[in-house]
Amino acid sequence: MDLHRATVTANEQIMPETHVLDLASPGLAKAARPGQFVHIRCGPGWDPILRRPMSIFKIRPDGISVMVRAVGEGSTIIASSPLDSELDVLGPLGKPFTLDPSARRLAMIGGGYGVAPLVALAVEALGKGCEVVLMVGAATADYVFPADELPTDVEYAIATDDGTLGHKGFVTELLPRYLDWCDAVFACGPTPMLEAVARITRPARYGVAGAMRSEKPVQLSMEQHMGCAMGVCLGCVVMTRKGYQRVCRDGPVFPADTLVWEGSRA
Ligand SMILES: Cc1cc2nc3c(=O)[nH]c(=O)nc-3n(C[C@H](O)[C@H](O)[C@H](O)COP(=O)(O)OP(=O)(O)OC[C@H]3O[C@@H](n4cnc5c(N)ncnc54)[C@H](O)[C@@H]3O)c2cc1C
Ligand code: FES
């Protein structure tokens, strides 16, 4: 993990309120792994004082890209960074996704801007000869992640809350279609979505008929509000079977069976 001065070489709006920023920084490009994130300072002033975490969306030879949805003050400042401006970027941070070499068919499921780290993972997995299906959920067709941001070899499945594109309903309702096919599952998005992924994949992990089926690894990338992003402030903890763990340092990627969901036994 290092502090980088990264120049904004492109800033393109790809969906309402959502921008992709290309950041030039060979140091970040060299160190970054899919599933990790960067902590970006919001402009040159001290308000807001805290940096904002953003997943690594693409890894290029000369830098990385982040996909930023402007939901509040900090993300709006970052999303509106002008071309050639410099961003103060800490990273890469956190533990990446793990690609087991024996896994050949990967199911990925993303909600909202949770698709960002899965795109980096899909690119890496295709490069290793894996087959990838990416399921993405959004509120309406306008907020569906554009297919042209994905490598063409990725099978893309869409769900919208209002049915304006793809399956009408939760993106997690698409997952059972791919459970028998895939060797591993990866997800990133809002906590209720991740909890649903953990619940749906449970029979696949532990066997519908006892121990007849082999365990299927499921990795979930958690999102929490962050202070330091370096493991010091304990502002980002989640409950796991090993006790509280820090999303910024021990995650953001956790095996699904280590997480304990509030008020549930998922
Ligand atoms: C590991 C990690 C990776 C992330 N990757 C991305 C990414 O690739 N692209 C992206 O657009 N966003 C990402 N986020 C979320 C992003 O950091 C927050 O949206 C941002 O911090 C909001 O800051 P703000 O000042 O704009 O909003 P605030 O004014 O602080 O909040 C505005 C709204 O966003 C909600 N919010 C704030 N932080 C989070 C959060 N961490 N998770 C969910 N909701 C939140 C608040 O509850 C509120 O409703 C990531 C967060 C984490 C922890
Ligand atoms: S944000 Fe400070 S410990 Fe994770």
Side-chain angles (χ1 to χ4, degrees), residues 137-193:
T140 72
D142 288 347
Y143 285 88
V144 169
F145 180 76
D148 59 9
E149 291 285 334
L150 283 174
T152 46
D153 288 342
V154 173
E155 181 179 333
Y156 192 29
I158 294 165
T160 49
D161 296 345
D162 63 0
T164 43
L165 196 62
H167 170 77
K168 181 176 193 295
F170 294 135
V171 65
T172 45
E173 291 162 13
L174 298 173
L175 183 53
R177 297 182 195 173
Y178 297 98
L179 265 189
D180 282 338
W181 167 83
C182 70
D183 306 316
V185 177
F186 302 85
C188 182
T191 303
M193 189 203 95

Side-chain angles (χ1 to χ4, degrees), residues 46 82 102 116 119-120 131 143 159-160 169 174 196 204 214-215 222 224:
W46 291 106
S102 65
V119 172
E131 291 174 62
Y143 285 88
T160 49
L174 298 173
S214 60
E215 191 171 303
M222 305 291 291
Q224 288 287 89

Side-chain angles (χ1 to χ4, degrees), residues 38-227:
V38 290
H39 214 203
I40 305 180
R41 193 167 164 195
C42 309
W46 291 106
D47 182 27
I49 191 162
L50 294 177
R51 293 164 179 268
R52 297 296 191 259
M54 295 291 156
S55 299
I56 291 165
F57 169 58
K58 284 185 181 165
I59 304 171
R60 306 182 318 277
D62 65 328
I64 62 159
S65 304
V66 288
M67 183 181 101
V68 184
R69 175 156 303 166
V71 294
E73 193 185 358
S75 52
T76 301
I77 294 171
I78 296 169
S80 16
S81 303
L83 275 186
D84 297 328
S85 61
E86 274 200 334
L87 288 180
D88 184 329
V89 182
L90 194 59
L93 296 163
K95 297 218 161 63
F97 289 113
T98 306
L99 266 184
D100 183 329
S102 65
R104 308 312 302 159
R105 293 190 294 257
L106 313 182
M108 302 182 187
I109 177 160
Y113 51 71
V115 66
L118 300 175
V119 172
L121 181 66
V123 171
E124 180 174 307
L126 289 175
K128 293 185 171 174
C130 298
E131 291 174 62
V132 175
V133 60
L134 175 66
M135 290 155 263
V136 162
T140 72
D142 288 347
Y143 285 88
V144 169
F145 180 76
D148 59 9
E149 291 285 334
L150 283 174
T152 46
D153 288 342
V154 173
E155 181 179 333
Y156 192 29
I158 294 165
T160 49
D161 296 345
D162 63 0
T164 43
L165 196 62
H167 170 77
K168 181 176 193 295
F170 294 135
V171 65
T172 45
E173 291 162 13
L174 298 173
L175 183 53
R177 297 182 195 173
Y178 297 98
L179 265 189
D180 282 338
W181 167 83
C182 70
D183 306 316
V185 177
F186 302 85
C188 182
T191 303
M193 189 203 95
L194 298 181
E195 186 174 352
V197 172
R199 200 176 51 247
I200 292 163
T201 55
R202 241 183 168 203
R205 280 188 275 138
Y206 296 113
V208 186
M212 294 302 286
R213 288 164 65 179
S214 60
E215 191 171 303
K216 199 160 287 212
V218 179
Q219 295 173 45
L220 304 180
S221 179
M222 305 291 291
E223 285 181 2
Q224 288 287 89
H225 292 253
M226 287 189 183

